[in-house]
Amino acid sequence: MSITFSVKGDAVTKQDFAAMAEEVKACHTALHEKTGKGNDFVGWVDWPVDYDKEEFARIKKAAEKIQKQSEVLIVIGIGGSYLGTRTALDFIKTPFYNEDKKKTTPDIYFVGNNISSAYLSDILGILGDRDFSVNVISKSGTTTEPAIAFRIFKQLLENKYGKEGAAERIYATTDRARGALKTMCNTEGYETFIIPDDIGGRFTVLTAVGMLAMAVAGVDIDKVMEGAQWAREAYSNPDIMENPCYQYAAARNFFYRNGKTVEILANYEPHMVSFGEWYKQLYAESEGKDGKGIFPVAANFSTDLHSIGQFIQEGSRYFFETVMWCKEPKSTVLVPFDAEDLDGLNFLKGKEMQFVNSKAFAGTMLAHMDGGVPNMVIEMDRMDAWHFGALVYFFEKAVGISGYMLDVNPFNQPGVEAYKKNMFALLGKPGYEDMKEELEKRLNG
């Protein structure tokens, strides 16, 4: 089991890495000794060994209870309270998890990640009369999207099972001591799991935020933590020449300083589509501030080669590509022989689809490099729980180092509040009256 990183061609040389070695070492020291910006939110660095073992055991027990008691688990959360869990299920299990009729674990649906009445109505229709439980995930309990969804499903549970019965089916992942949701948990008696004070939302997938739903889906969460533990040790060397994670962080900054301001995280497996969504939040919120940052986008090949492939090949040259490649497919499918061979594919008869996919990967990489797009590759052996934990840690550690190289605070997100203030004012929330009038004038002017 392993993860490897490489820069293809001579886009970044050993001499380039050597020139950044002292800068990277300083960023490593700032991160590990907690002297850098946002140092009160770096608890994720040692979380794979420092995690709460008692809570971890409670997560497993709660998952078993949900599995016995419910046909459906509704996960309520947005941003870091949702993306990592969705990613884990797609990566480790399958994007068709809920459609798998052979599984013995509950269906899992995600709500509270938008404000769409159509989406929520669809979920309610799919839920129907089935028995269900809820995992509501929110540090404060007042974030608009999940708070609205929780109101609806809390009421649904209480109408279906009564107030005490509902309390047996509500699991809250929230602040240790304060906030609206924590207050409700204390009053209503919901089982509570903790969002650590020193780990920001987008870094929480390896905490209870992600682990409960994973365990409900039958994921071996011990293996997830083992992968993260391996990565913590593997990527602890301050020497850039010995640390692939730091090479990735440094290469990103090398490209950025040479005019490449967009990173495309590409994959060749639909199981990794959600990973791209999780990556976008992790990197955009961590680096996009102070007028700086590499804009993260995700692409799903070979599908997107038939949409944005033309632009990647011949469009503006302001981006670089990082490809996530899995060596071992989850299953094997062979290309069959066809006597008429009208499509001209008999030369592939008997070949595994993974073989064809690998040549699409290799051919695309070479074409894009020839077109002036630098390429890097992050390669894993397989898509399983261990590799998921290791990859999560790889990307978290890399963005911490990369953010410090950009000289920003990688662990805050002040810009996220701007839209919320405007939305509250336009909705007529008490205390925003003056702002409401000003914004409405702008909208109607």
Side-chain angles (χ1 to χ4, degrees), residues 282-438:
L282 180 65
Y283 279 71
E285 281 193 356
S286 295
E287 295 189 325
K289 56 202 68 165
D290 301 341
K292 304 175 184 178
I294 301 163
F295 187 72
V297 299
N300 312 300
F301 295 161
S302 63
T303 305
D304 286 342
L305 292 174
H306 296 264
S307 57
I308 61 173
Q310 170 63 37
F311 190 98
I312 295 173
Q313 190 66 46
E314 297 182 341
S316 303
R317 305 289 81 183
Y318 53 74
F319 49 84
F320 60 95
E321 221 168 29
T322 301
V323 182
M324 294 179 64
W325 175 253
C326 182
K327 292 189 286 188
E328 298 179 17
K330 282 180 176 281
S331 56
T332 298
V333 177
L334 302 180
V335 178
F337 172 79
D338 185 282
E340 295 185 0
D341 195 28
L342 294 177
D343 54 17
L345 292 179
N346 271 352
F347 75 99
L348 293 175
K349 66 180 184 297
K351 299 288 188 183
E352 292 185 6
M353 282 188 67
Q354 172 72 356
F355 171 79
V356 181
N357 206 20
S358 71
K359 300 310 175 187
F361 158 50
T364 302
M365 180 175 64
L366 291 171
H368 288 179
M369 289 168 63
D370 289 344
V373 180
N375 261 245
M376 302 186 287
V377 177
I378 298 169
E379 189 173 72
M380 70 209 77
D381 290 337
R382 60 190 69 90
M383 289 177 286
D384 59 15
W386 188 95
H387 285 85
F388 178 76
L391 277 169
V392 163
Y393 194 89
F394 176 96
F395 277 96
E396 289 180 347
K397 191 71 177 294
V399 83
I401 297 297
S402 182
Y404 280 162
M405 292 184 75
L406 281 168
D407 193 28
V408 300
N409 179 351
F411 310 116
N412 68 355
Q413 55 283 335
V416 173
E417 300 303 314
Y419 92 89
K420 294 181 182 179
K421 292 176 183 177
N422 288 350
M423 179 178 68
F424 290 152
L426 292 169
L427 285 169
K429 185 173 182 176
Y432 289 80
E433 290 81 5
D434 292 343
M435 189 176 179
K436 181 176 190 292
E437 184 179 349
E438 178 191 342

Side-chain angles (χ1 to χ4, degrees), residues 55 114 120 142 167 191 193 201 217 238-239 322 342 384 423:
E55 181 183 60
N114 57 59
L120 196 58
T142 59
E191 181 162 9
F193 300 101
D239 183 353
T322 301
L342 294 177
D384 59 15
M423 179 178 68

Side-chain angles (χ1 to χ4, degrees), residues 2-43:
S2 66
I3 294 170
T4 61
F5 166 78
S6 59
V7 180
K8 298 305 178 181
D10 58 355
V12 186
T13 66
K14 288 185 178 180
Q15 290 76 19
D16 294 324
F17 281 133
M20 294 183 282
E22 289 305 312
E23 181 184 2
V24 168
K25 188 174 293 185
C27 294
H28 168 92
T29 300
L31 185 62
H32 281 263
E33 296 186 3
K34 300 182 179 180
T35 59
K37 296 177 180 180
N39 56 67
D40 47 345
F41 284 98
V42 296

Side-chain angles (χ1 to χ4, degrees), residues 114-231:
N114 57 59
I115 320 176
S116 166
S117 57
Y119 177 91
L120 196 58
S121 294
D122 288 345
I123 297 295
L124 290 169
I126 292 168
L127 175 62
D129 293 327
R130 291 186 288 174
D131 288 318
F132 73 102
S133 296
V134 165
N135 177 206
V136 54
I137 306 168
S138 176
K139 187 80 168 173
S140 65
T142 59
T143 303
T144 304
E145 295 91 338
I148 290 174
F150 184 48
R151 274 197 177 202
I152 292 168
F153 282 93
K154 176 175 176 288
Q155 187 176 84
L156 193 62
L157 280 168
E158 291 178 348
N159 290 341
K160 187 177 178 72
Y161 302 106
K163 206 165 181 64
E164 290 186 7
E168 285 291 312
R169 292 172 176 271
I170 295 174
Y171 302 83
T173 309
T174 188
D175 190 86
R176 184 182 303 276
R178 57 188 178 274
L181 182 55
K182 178 59 177 175
T183 299
M184 189 185 298
C185 292
N186 293 341
T187 302
E188 304 291 347
Y190 305 150
E191 181 162 9
T192 306
F193 300 101
I194 304 303
I195 301 175
D197 293 335
D198 58 354
I199 302 180
R202 58 188 176 275
F203 290 85
T204 58
V205 64
L206 299 178
T207 73
V209 169
M211 288 296 183
L212 180 57
M214 281 191 239
V216 170
V219 170
D220 187 341
I221 59 176
D222 288 305
K223 289 293 184 184
V224 173
M225 294 308 292
E226 285 176 19
Q229 289 161 5
W230 173 87

